[in-house]
Amino acid sequence: MNKSVAEIPLLAERNSLCEARAAELRSRHPDLATWAAGNTVIPHGNETVCRIHDLVERLAGSRSERKAQEIYRLLRAADDIASAAMWAVVHMTYARRVYTDGRPLGHADFKPSPEGHTGGSLNMVPAYVGYMLANALTGTTRSWLMGQGHCVAAIEAVNLLLGNMSAKQEECYSWTDDGLSALVGDFYGYAVNREGGPAAPLGSHVNANTGGGISEGGYLGFAEVQYVHMPLKGERLVAFLSDGAFEEQRGSDWAPRWWRHEDSGLVTPVMILNGRRIEQRTEMMQEGGADWLRKHLALAGFDPIDIDGRDPAAFAWAIIESERRLEVRGEAAASGGATYPVQLPYIIANSIKGYGFPGAGTNAAHNLPLSGNPFHDANAKDEFNGGAQRLWIDPARLPDEVRLLKNHDLQRRVLEKAHALASRNPPDMHMPEIPAHFMPPGATASPMDYLDRCFVDLVKHNPDLRVRVGNPDELQSNRMVRTLQQLKH
């Protein structure tokens, strides 16, 4: 759905005012101007500049000037971390040998058969770094969940940089030539050990060794219908959702109806809107992209927030802002000043598939963005080396940048790999005795009727269990009638 004629002048006026304010802020605040100018492929648009200035003012408080300087230094560090991680991501797809000095690779340094969902992983890097940045800015370790598990290269690259790896990965990988070469070699490696399990603590999707990973994300839709129920009161969760799952599992549209301030933590859904492959075009893209999605979300009870999906600072601002809005609305509903459902903020991160590397925005960017295989194609080799050079960050700078984002000891918080959902240890449930028979001899009934009775008993014997039941039509047709009555679905 296209913008109406009346909307276009209003949008132009808003953009003009934003541009003027951003220019004025740059002229008055040297630290903001230095960050906004950037020195990587990460852009900082006018709207993000204005939003970040307001956020810094709020976070700095009475310690205005000194604290603001520290925050802008942290923002610049996030840019370098994001660019370096994107550099690692493209190597994970194409290279079998990595050189941290950034030298051009020769044909023999590349994989004969490259693999990787490169475009989505490149887009995921600013999002995950933005999540880390929000944590560092607020002193809170949020949980995270990713619906598109094939973007794991982004998670693993950032975790490696920031020392957020699992113990098994720490034994194998490091930000050195040999450590990174081991990383790219194991990515999509599929080697099996003598016991029949994975030989390497790294795979093509999120796995048990991914720092902070709690969902494999291979089947679209599981994360999307679960995320709103996951955080307990006092916890916070950032859920990176799949645009493909949006089409295939529409149950996530009900998320605003399920959230309750009384027993749920703050949730921030994020969708990176970067387009899918031509043969997988979604209704969202067919109907009008971000404009259509924004209106659809509003009708479903969400509060859509558009950001620049190429900028970690934009993600950090949006996470903090989303939580602020949801907290205010939840408190109002809990106190009787408003009614449920409350509007649930929903971040729309607009980006280009594979931004920052050759082939961005093309159909090929979904998987292998280069024009050919650099193992034997000279043009593809030159494309890779040119693109990688633009992403490369001098490794001598990285330790200081990492220390700024890795401020957990100073803020007395846990690393992201140990977030609340990743370290959950619930008490054992009380299991009621299962009756051997519940019908007179010779009578017949559906086996689902027996399951229905047992599940209701389980709920009754565990009043502290946070039970959630979805898909009521299926449960009704499958004779789970008592379950629906007990839980007042």
Side-chain angles (χ1 to χ4, degrees):
M1 187 180 297
N2 295 324
K3 293 184 178 66
S4 68
V5 175
E7 285 180 296
I8 294 174
L10 293 174
L11 184 61
E13 181 181 0
R14 178 189 168 198
N15 289 340
S16 178
L17 290 172
C18 186
E19 181 179 1
R21 183 173 184 237
E24 188 264 339
L25 290 173
R26 287 187 180 95
S27 67
R28 288 197 298 111
H29 301 281
D31 292 306
L32 179 148
T34 301
W35 160 74
N39 61 351
T40 67
V41 299
I42 306 297
H44 304 301
N46 292 324
E47 187 171 49
T48 305
V49 167
C50 295
R51 287 169 165 175
I52 287 296
H53 168 266
D54 295 343
L55 175 63
V56 171
E57 292 279 291
R58 192 162 73 246
L59 293 176
S62 60
R63 300 171 294 163
S64 182
E65 186 173 349
R66 182 181 180 86
K67 182 63 175 177
Q69 289 176 347
E70 295 174 357
I71 294 174
Y72 284 117
R73 180 70 187 89
L74 186 59
L75 294 174
R76 297 200 300 274
D79 286 352
D80 280 357
I81 295 296
S83 188
M86 291 167 72
W87 177 85
V89 163
V90 298
H91 281 75
M92 290 172 77
T93 294
Y94 284 106
R96 60 179 174 183
R97 185 65 192 168
V98 183
Y99 304 100
T100 52
D101 61 10
R103 75 185 73 168
L105 301 187
H107 288 297
D109 295 317
F110 291 99
K111 297 176 180 177
S113 300
E115 288 287 351
H117 287 75
T118 314
S121 296
L122 285 169
N123 294 148
M124 187 65 206
V125 168
Y128 191 56
V129 173
Y131 152 81
M132 292 284 192
L133 178 59
N135 294 345
L137 287 170
T138 60
T140 301
T141 297
R142 296 160 176 83
S143 296
W144 67 271
L145 175 72
M146 186 170 67
Q148 56 277 48
H150 57 255
C151 293
V152 69
I155 305 298
E156 304 291 18
V158 175
N159 280 350
L160 175 55
L161 260 172
L162 297 181
N164 188 50
M165 294 179 292
S166 65
K168 288 186 177 180
Q169 288 187 344
E170 285 178 344
E171 296 173 0
C172 302
Y173 314 125
S174 61
W175 201 266
T176 62
D177 290 4
D178 290 341
L180 282 165
S181 295
L183 180 83
V184 302
D186 287 343
F187 186 58
Y188 273 80
Y190 302 126
V192 176
N193 60 27
R194 298 176 68 178
E195 290 73 37
L202 185 72
S204 61
H205 281 66
V206 174
N207 66 55
N209 295 302
T210 301
I214 58 173
S215 173
E216 186 265 352
Y219 185 85
L220 295 179
F222 281 6
E224 284 68 21
V225 295
Q226 294 182 69
Y227 76 89
V228 74
H229 306 298
M230 288 181 165
L232 300 176
K233 180 75 173 174
E235 298 173 353
R236 300 169 186 236
L237 169 66
V238 178
F240 301 104
L241 307 180
S242 164
D243 55 353
F246 176 84
E247 295 290 328
E248 297 176 28
Q249 297 285 353
R250 296 303 272 278
S252 61
D253 291 357
W254 281 42
R257 295 171 173 84
W258 290 327
W259 188 84
R260 292 292 183 272
H261 180 268
E262 294 86 338
D263 80 334
S264 300
L266 298 178
V267 291
T268 302
V270 181
M271 181 180 288
I272 300 173
L273 201 60
N274 56 9
R276 303 190 81 200
R277 289 185 297 192
I278 289 173
E279 73 273 17
Q280 295 179 335
R281 288 299 183 211
T282 58
E283 178 185 355
M284 185 194 315
M285 301 309 295
Q286 297 281 12
E287 295 293 335
D291 289 338
W292 180 89
L293 176 61
R294 195 180 303 111
K295 293 172 182 176
H296 171 85
L297 291 171
L299 287 172
F302 291 97
D303 173 17
I305 303 173
D306 283 86
I307 65 167
D308 185 347
R310 303 166 298 172
D311 187 348
F315 282 99
W317 172 86
I319 291 168
I320 296 169
E321 175 64 16
S322 296
E323 292 176 346
R324 184 190 68 81
R325 295 184 190 184
L326 186 56
E327 184 76 55
V328 170
R329 293 165 186 166
E331 289 177 353
S335 64
T339 59
Y340 287 113
V342 301
Q343 275 190 305
L344 183 64
Y346 191 112
I347 301 171
I348 304 173
N350 297 280
S351 190
I352 301 167
K353 178 74 81 173
Y355 173 78
F357 196 65
T362 66
N363 195 41
H366 177 80
N367 193 25
L368 301 173
L370 299 180
S371 61
N373 185 351
F375 179 71
H376 52 68
D377 186 303
N379 289 332
K381 176 175 71 70
D382 292 342
E383 282 179 348
F384 178 94
N385 285 326
Q389 183 57 43
R390 286 188 290 274
L391 296 171
W392 178 77
I393 299 295
D394 186 345
R397 282 166 44 189
L398 289 175
D400 288 338
E401 316 284 63
V402 168
R403 274 192 291 271
L404 288 170
L405 260 79
K406 197 176 178 181
N407 56 6
H408 303 73
D409 289 343
L410 183 65
Q411 297 176 337
R412 297 180 181 179
R413 62 186 179 94
V414 298
L415 290 169
E416 281 71 13
K417 67 180 179 180
H419 64 75
L421 290 177
S423 52
R424 182 79 82 227
N425 187 24
D428 292 336
M429 290 188 295
H430 174 68
M431 302 301 293
E433 183 177 350
I434 299 175
H437 304 283
F438 68 92
M439 293 187 62
T444 61
S446 166
M448 292 303 295
D449 191 26
Y450 188 74
L451 287 175
D452 189 24
R453 291 170 183 266
C454 291
F455 186 74
V456 168
D457 281 348
L458 181 69
V459 173
K460 288 180 177 179
H461 281 80
N462 294 275
D464 295 330
L465 192 64
R466 297 172 77 249
V467 179
R468 298 292 188 271
V469 173
N471 211 346
D473 292 341
E474 286 292 327
L475 289 178
Q476 184 79 26
S477 63
N478 282 290
R479 303 177 185 272
M480 298 286 284
V481 179
R482 294 176 183 80
T483 296
L484 294 175
Q485 292 174 345
Q486 172 72 17
L487 298 176
K488 299 179 174 62
H489 201 295

